[in-house]
Amino acid sequence: MQHIYHHTFANGFTLLAERMDHVRSAAFYFLVPAGCIHDPPEYRGIASVLSDLMMRGAGPRDNRELSTALDNLGVDHSESVGGLHMRFWGATLARNLSRALDLHADVLRRPRLPEEEVEAVKALALQDLLGLEDEPAQRLFIELRERHYPPPLGQDSRGTEEGIEALNLKALRSHYRRLIRPRGTILSVAGNINWEALRDQVDRLFGDWESGEEPVIRPGTAPGAGKYGHVQKETTQTQIGLAYESVPFGHPDYYNALGAVNVLDGGMSARLFTEVREKHGLCYSISASYQTYKDRASILCYAGTTNDRAQRTLELTLRELTRLKDGIEPDEIERVRVGLKSSLIKQEESTTARAGTLASDWYYLGRVRSFDEIQSALNALTPESIVAHLQRHTPGNFTIVTLGPESLQMPGERPA
């Protein structure tokens, strides 16, 4: 039996918790609506720099003292920035959870944002950005998302070299004051916890935080930079990225969409791996994944291959995507169902995974799904239900980006 708890404070700060009696640890996950879609054009990358700087001293502790305090509690922690949210999470022994939350309350509410650390944080951000030259697949996906999504949804959290170099302490502090607010922020906790004690502590730590307004971004309806693109790079390999629309998390067809992408990519017997890589030996890597926002979602596909096989790889990948609606075998659905249920069971045993899922469910659905609900939805998947979904939402209108020495012939184009 699941023990799920919820409380939203008057300032809009939401606390979620799941008691897991069989573990001795606890994990926490802060989801703050301060993602990179809020980065101003002149400061692209500011959210990532700010999240790092916030961890470099908070409350009464400087950078070293904060790091030592977390280490002394055995807190495995990190921070990151996505399109929609800034995220801070950690895991530790259940008995140390209270003190770990005390420290992170300082990080969120009283970060020092030390001026002497700004240049070092900027230097690390620039190194991360420059490292993309050695990560062609990552660079490809940045271009793919920018072309596929309407701005600012396609922005990458790493920002731009110009944006990071332009950053200063005044801009960072202004960004913090504008975006790091309780309204819309979610704290989820999973593990061996006492709900009443946790709620009282979070009330003490965050209940008097001045609410402010939750920042709102309304993406345009226009697409990104264009449907087809090529990134010129002299390499012996060609990277291929494709994106097409799907249904968002929470849509009645969501589980069928998830089933469809797992037919394409769910192990060595998945469609893309079998048909494009194994049967034809065209690429060394191929994959498909699902990405969602509240009001839209996409399937993102990737293939890495040699230059001489790139055109054929693109053509066969497109063929597999478009013919999926023509039929799916029962054994494919059974493989998908087993894989998704296995992931669900492993998630049940991980406090970190559960904390992340609690926050994600609440953000997208305004509730937390039970294991029984998910199991029931997975059991209901059939070849017919997924095919019907694909016929209603047929893969097409592809955004395609390539990276390599030569561009490829795109669908509908005449051969050169």
Side-chain angles (χ1 to χ4, degrees):
M1 179 179 177
Q2 285 182 270
H3 302 279
I4 306 292
Y5 306 93
H6 156 251
H7 183 80
T8 297
F9 297 91
N11 59 8
F13 187 98
T14 294
L15 171 65
L16 304 166
E18 180 173 356
R19 193 173 80 240
M20 302 169 68
D21 294 330
H22 61 286
V23 301
R24 292 186 291 175
S25 63
F28 57 90
Y29 194 97
F30 288 93
L31 204 59
V32 185
C36 68
I37 62 170
H38 300 286
D39 288 5
E42 68 273 24
Y43 295 132
R44 291 278 300 274
I46 189 172
S48 292
V49 171
L50 178 61
S51 68
D52 189 341
L53 195 64
M54 287 171 67
M55 292 297 299
R56 296 195 175 213
R61 299 172 180 84
D62 63 21
N63 187 5
R64 180 177 293 276
E65 290 168 338
L66 179 59
S67 296
T68 299
L70 289 166
D71 289 345
N72 287 342
L73 294 173
V75 181
D76 181 13
H77 64 93
S78 188
E79 75 283 340
S80 68
V81 171
L84 301 174
H85 294 98
M86 188 179 292
R87 301 176 289 255
F88 299 86
W89 71 91
T92 185
L93 296 176
R95 65 172 181 265
N96 293 335
L97 172 66
S98 176
R99 286 177 289 172
L101 291 178
D102 285 343
L103 295 172
H104 276 78
D106 282 340
V107 169
L108 287 178
R109 297 192 60 183
R110 292 170 289 275
R112 290 192 172 189
L113 305 181
E115 184 171 13
E116 64 273 16
E117 299 279 359
V118 171
E119 290 305 315
V121 175
K122 287 172 59 177
L124 288 174
L126 287 170
Q127 288 179 42
D128 190 29
L129 197 60
L130 293 173
L132 289 172
E133 290 300 316
D134 299 320
E135 298 287 344
Q138 291 295 322
R139 188 178 173 192
L140 174 83
F141 272 111
I142 291 172
E143 183 73 17
L144 180 65
R145 284 188 289 264
E146 286 188 349
R147 286 186 172 273
H148 184 65
Y149 291 113
L153 291 183
Q155 288 186 182
D156 184 68
S157 63
R158 280 162 285 219
T160 63
E161 187 174 348
E162 297 78 14
I164 294 170
E165 289 178 341
L167 281 174
N168 53 53
L169 184 62
K170 181 180 178 181
L172 287 159
R173 287 180 170 170
S174 174
H175 200 73
Y176 167 81
R177 288 192 298 269
R178 184 170 70 91
L179 291 178
I180 310 301
R181 294 290 189 178
R183 188 166 303 281
T185 293
I186 299 169
L187 165 60
S188 56
V189 180
N192 198 328
I193 56 102
N194 177 288
W195 166 247
E196 289 76 15
L198 174 64
R199 182 191 58 204
D200 291 347
Q201 182 193 11
V202 172
D203 187 13
R204 173 175 58 81
L205 294 176
F206 297 101
D208 64 347
W209 195 3
E210 185 180 345
S211 62
E213 294 297 321
E214 182 178 355
V216 176
I217 288 286
R218 293 181 174 86
T221 56
K227 300 304 291 183
Y228 303 144
H230 178 69
V231 179
Q232 182 70 28
K233 188 174 179 63
E234 292 302 320
T235 65
T236 59
Q237 302 167 346
T238 295
Q239 318 290 320
I240 302 169
L242 305 94
Y244 59 94
E245 292 183 2
S246 185
V247 298
F249 186 31
H251 188 281
D253 255 358
Y254 163 70
Y255 287 99
N256 285 312
L258 192 63
V261 76
N262 276 272
V263 170
L264 291 169
D265 179 348
M268 296 179 67
S269 54
R271 285 276 185 101
L272 291 178
F273 189 93
T274 301
E275 297 295 327
V276 182
R277 186 183 188 276
E278 293 295 285
K279 287 187 177 180
H280 297 276
L282 287 174
C283 55
Y284 55 83
S285 177
I286 190 162
S287 63
S289 61
Y290 173 87
Q291 181 180 41
T292 189
Y293 293 97
K294 274 191 173 179
D295 64 342
R296 71 196 77 204
S298 299
I299 308 300
L300 306 180
C301 302
Y302 164 78
T305 185
T306 55
N307 297 331
D308 60 324
R309 297 177 177 179
Q311 184 64 49
R312 183 62 175 153
T313 298
L314 173 61
E315 292 167 357
L316 278 187
T317 301
L318 286 169
R319 186 195 73 177
E320 291 305 316
L321 297 177
T322 54
R323 81 183 185 99
L324 192 60
K325 70 180 186 304
D326 297 335
I328 295 172
E329 297 300 320
D331 64 309
E332 291 182 296
I333 298 303
E334 183 59 28
R335 174 185 59 78
V336 167
R337 191 183 293 116
V338 168
L340 292 174
K341 285 185 176 181
S342 176
S343 297
L344 183 64
I345 291 169
K346 287 185 285 187
Q347 184 188 101
E348 288 184 61
E349 299 173 353
S350 167
T351 56
T352 301
R354 285 305 300 157
T357 297
L358 292 176
S360 177
D361 276 10
W362 192 266
Y363 172 73
Y364 286 108
L365 305 176
R367 64 183 183 86
V368 176
R369 296 171 298 162
S370 69
F371 289 125
D372 288 345
E373 176 188 345
I374 299 172
Q375 289 266 27
S376 177
L378 296 179
N379 288 334
L381 290 177
T382 65
E384 293 76 17
S385 70
I386 295 179
V387 167
H389 156 72
L390 290 167
Q391 290 174 345
R392 290 189 295 270
H393 305 279
T394 303
N397 193 26
F398 297 101
T399 302
I400 304 175
V401 174
T402 55
L403 183 152
E406 295 182 3
S407 61
L408 304 182
Q409 181 187 333
M410 295 296 154
E413 292 181 348
R414 293 182 177 180

